[in-house]
């Protein structure tokens, strides 16, 4: 049954375009249609060819009360352009289940069937519930695709973990229909009052510290974790400003982005925005040092010397300065710690030393996690009235980890 919450009332009269792709979880799409109809939605269903091997169009037609569309070039559709008509009709696109193949085609902008064509043509918000074998979900290609979908503005629902039809156990199960319908309802609840959410300021990516006009000091940060946090915060109803170092990532939908290069520039923007924020997340990999005097012209190699001496000075400690703001203008502050050993000890020390409210510690020595990767693991530590609590997050997509981090931070904000 649909949960009895005020958010469900916001579904009355909403036009939901449900896409169903191939997979055993397609049988759950019938319950999704039923729950959406019970909540007062108009529902139209589009099925891929493969989906029809698992559930018949007639079943979904009977439940939705509308013809089910399966063909891109339908001669019975209005003027032969029914896909454009459907794209304009929808208030929201929901794909459940979404296979690995469909997700890959969406990421690459393909339009080789009705469902993918609709997704390109439709400007409405889009939610997607992945469903696949646990090994397929964990594959680096699937993780890259899931992260790119989130950056492109899709809201991912799940996947859940548990027993799978193939006998495996792990992440990849489609979220339950009730969870999916609740996510649809939550989307419209946020849309009714988008400005009510807390202002969240996030720093992301590396900084570049100039040595001369063509060289700089930097690090391997890709910005993926910070951008995933920004997307997750928007999905949870926040108003987000992202202060970004130089990265090659698109701005998540609904996020205000400010581009900076150096630590000093990031420091300036952070101190300007932090007093207006409820939550500040310092995820950027800020360079600890910068050149004391960047050269005006390109430094030339000295043929008579095998060494080059640089004088470096400390950069401002952005997260510590935000945490030290007066109480009446200080946001809740979340920091990150990239460590290679004694993770818990160093994270707890940084939490106390910099007066943070919460810290997310990563073991960057683990292969396939952290810098440049689509997956990460973390140890979360946060202050409570009685001491320090902590929770370990196992390796998972950064988009999924970001949701848990933001959820914990917003929980602390409401205490």
């Amino acid at each position: 049954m649909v949960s009895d919450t005020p958010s469900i009332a916001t579904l009355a009269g909403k036009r939901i375009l449900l896409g169903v792709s191939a997979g055993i979880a397609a049988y759950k799409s019938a319950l999704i249609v039923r729950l959406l109809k019970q909540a007062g939605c108009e529902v139209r269903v589009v099925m891929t060819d493969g989906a029809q091997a698992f559930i018949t169009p007639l079943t979904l037609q009977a439940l939705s009360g509308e013809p089910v569309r399966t063909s891109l070039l339908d001669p019975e559709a209005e003027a032969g352009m029914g896909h454009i008509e459907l794209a304009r009709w929808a208030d929201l696109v929901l794909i459940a289940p979404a296979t690995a193949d469909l997700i890959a085609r969406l990421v690459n902008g393909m339009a080789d069937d009705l469902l993918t064509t609709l997704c390109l043509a439709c400007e409405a918000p889009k939610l997607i519930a992945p469903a696949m074998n646990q090994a397929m979900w964990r594959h680096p290609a699937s993780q890259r695709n899931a992260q790119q979908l989130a950056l492109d503005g899709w809201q991912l629902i799940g996947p859940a973990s548990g027993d799978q039809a193939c006998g495996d156990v792990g992440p990849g199960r489609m979220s339950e229909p009730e969870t999916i319908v609740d996510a649809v309802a939550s989307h419209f609840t946020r849309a009714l009052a988008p400005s009510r959410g807390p202002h969240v300021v996030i720093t992301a990516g590396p900084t570049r510290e100039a040595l001369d006009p063509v060289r700089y000091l930097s690090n391997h940060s890709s910005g993926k974790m910070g951008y995933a946090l920004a997307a997750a915060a928007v999905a949870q109803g926040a108003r987000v400003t992202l202060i970004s170092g130089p990265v090659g990532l698109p701005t998540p939908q609904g996020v205000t982005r400010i581009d900076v290069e150096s630590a000093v520039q990031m420091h300036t923007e952070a101190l300007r925005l932090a007093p207006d924020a409820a939550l500040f997340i310092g995820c950027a990999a800020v360079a600890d040092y910068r050149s004391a005097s960047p050269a005006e012209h390109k430094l030339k190699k000295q043929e008579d010397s095998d060494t080059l001496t640089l004088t470096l000075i400390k950069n401002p400690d952005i997260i510590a300065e935000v945490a030290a703001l007066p109480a009446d203008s200080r946001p809740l502050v979340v920091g990150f710690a990239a460590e290679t050993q004694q993770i818990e000890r160093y994270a707890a020390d940084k939490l106390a030393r910099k007066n943070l409210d919460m810290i997310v510690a990563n073991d960057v020595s683990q292969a396939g996690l952290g810098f440049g990767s689509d997956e990460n693991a973390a140890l979360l530590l946060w202050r409570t009235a009685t001491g320090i609590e902590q929770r370990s997050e196992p390796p998972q997509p950064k988009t999924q980890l970001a949701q848990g981090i933001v959820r914990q931070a917003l929980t602390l904000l409401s205490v």
Side-chain angles (χ1 to χ4, degrees), residues 282-412:
C283 185
V286 183
D288 292 326
Y289 294 89
R290 68 183 187 275
S291 173
S293 53
E296 184 178 354
H297 301 287
K298 180 181 176 182
L299 294 168
K300 296 297 184 180
K301 181 167 62 175
Q302 301 296 318
E303 299 296 341
D304 59 347
S305 175
D306 292 332
T307 63
L308 173 67
T309 300
L310 298 173
T311 301
L312 304 179
I313 59 175
K314 273 188 178 180
N315 272 321
D317 191 332
I318 297 173
I319 196 81
E321 290 193 34
V322 171
L325 287 171
D328 59 353
S329 59
R330 181 192 185 278
L332 188 137
V333 183
V334 178
F336 273 67
E339 305 291 351
T340 58
Q341 60 178 336
Q342 300 184 60
I343 310 302
E344 181 179 346
R345 174 188 166 189
Y346 287 134
D349 174 70
K350 187 172 182 179
L351 182 74
R353 181 165 38 85
K354 301 205 175 188
N355 191 33
L356 308 179
D357 300 289
M358 175 175 154
I359 193 163
V360 181
N362 310 117
D363 184 352
V364 295
S365 67
Q366 292 188 53
L369 299 178
F371 285 147
S373 172
D374 294 315
E375 284 206 350
N376 211 346
L379 175 66
L380 278 57
L381 290 87
W382 63 90
R383 297 177 185 273
T384 68
T386 57
I388 304 296
E389 293 189 13
Q390 67 180 56
R391 182 177 78 245
S392 293
E393 293 284 354
Q396 57 191 285
K398 286 181 176 177
T399 50
Q400 201 168 322
L401 177 60
Q403 293 171 17
I405 292 170
V406 170
R407 193 176 300 114
Q408 181 61 51
L410 292 178
T411 299
L412 293 178

Side-chain angles (χ1 to χ4, degrees), residues 49-406:
D49 288 342
Q52 297 170 65
F54 293 91
I55 186 171
T56 66
L58 185 60
T59 299
L60 297 177
Q61 178 174 314
L63 291 168
S64 67
E66 299 283 350
V68 173
R69 295 286 305 279
T70 59
S71 174
L72 175 59
L73 302 176
D74 186 348
E76 296 183 6
E78 178 183 342
M81 297 294 286
H83 60 286
I84 301 299
E85 176 195 357
L86 267 178
R88 292 171 177 165
W89 173 85
D91 291 323
L92 179 141
V93 175
L94 168 65
I95 301 180
T99 61
D101 174 73
L102 177 64
I103 290 172
R105 289 190 288 131
L106 291 172
V107 165
N108 286 282
M110 297 181 70
D112 54 353
D113 64 4
L114 177 58
L115 184 53
T116 53
T117 300
L118 279 169
C119 290
L120 278 183
C122 185
E123 297 180 345
K126 300 176 181 69
L127 278 65
I128 192 165
M132 64 195 74
N133 167 266
Q134 57 85 23
M136 294 173 68
W137 174 248
R138 287 186 166 119
H139 193 281
S142 296
Q143 294 306 309
R144 285 194 302 271
N145 290 339
Q147 180 155 0
Q148 188 58 53
L149 274 185
L151 293 173
D152 288 347
W154 288 79
Q155 180 184 336
L156 274 69
I157 307 169
S161 292
D163 295 334
Q164 299 186 322
C166 61
D168 285 357
V169 178
R173 283 170 52 102
M174 188 176 83
S175 296
E176 293 304 314
E178 293 84 356
T179 301
I180 292 170
V181 173
D182 281 344
V184 173
S186 295
H187 165 80
F188 286 110
T189 301
R190 292 193 301 271
L192 288 174
S195 63
R196 289 187 178 180
H199 183 199
V200 178
V201 174
I202 301 172
T203 64
T207 62
R208 290 178 178 173
E209 311 303 324
L211 298 176
D212 62 24
V214 298
R215 300 183 182 91
Y216 54 81
L217 297 174
S218 191
N219 56 63
H220 294 295
S221 174
S222 65
K224 290 179 179 179
M225 191 70 239
Y227 276 61
L229 288 165
V234 168
Q236 294 183 43
R239 178 168 60 93
V240 179
T241 303
L242 179 65
I243 307 172
S244 176
V247 298
L249 299 173
T251 306
Q253 188 174 25
V255 171
T256 299
R257 172 173 162 178
I258 298 172
D259 289 318
V260 298
E261 285 271 337
S262 68
V264 170
Q265 291 171 345
M266 185 172 283
H267 172 263
T268 298
E269 292 299 329
L271 270 292
R272 179 177 69 85
L273 293 167
D276 181 50
L279 172 62
F280 182 92
I281 303 178
C283 185
V286 183
D288 292 326
Y289 294 89
R290 68 183 187 275
S291 173
S293 53
E296 184 178 354
H297 301 287
K298 180 181 176 182
L299 294 168
K300 296 297 184 180
K301 181 167 62 175
Q302 301 296 318
E303 299 296 341
D304 59 347
S305 175
D306 292 332
T307 63
L308 173 67
T309 300
L310 298 173
T311 301
L312 304 179
I313 59 175
K314 273 188 178 180
N315 272 321
D317 191 332
I318 297 173
I319 196 81
E321 290 193 34
V322 171
L325 287 171
D328 59 353
S329 59
R330 181 192 185 278
L332 188 137
V333 183
V334 178
F336 273 67
E339 305 291 351
T340 58
Q341 60 178 336
Q342 300 184 60
I343 310 302
E344 181 179 346
R345 174 188 166 189
Y346 287 134
D349 174 70
K350 187 172 182 179
L351 182 74
R353 181 165 38 85
K354 301 205 175 188
N355 191 33
L356 308 179
D357 300 289
M358 175 175 154
I359 193 163
V360 181
N362 310 117
D363 184 352
V364 295
S365 67
Q366 292 188 53
L369 299 178
F371 285 147
S373 172
D374 294 315
E375 284 206 350
N376 211 346
L379 175 66
L380 278 57
L381 290 87
W382 63 90
R383 297 177 185 273
T384 68
T386 57
I388 304 296
E389 293 189 13
Q390 67 180 56
R391 182 177 78 245
S392 293
E393 293 284 354
Q396 57 191 285
K398 286 181 176 177
T399 50
Q400 201 168 322
L401 177 60
Q403 293 171 17
I405 292 170
V406 170

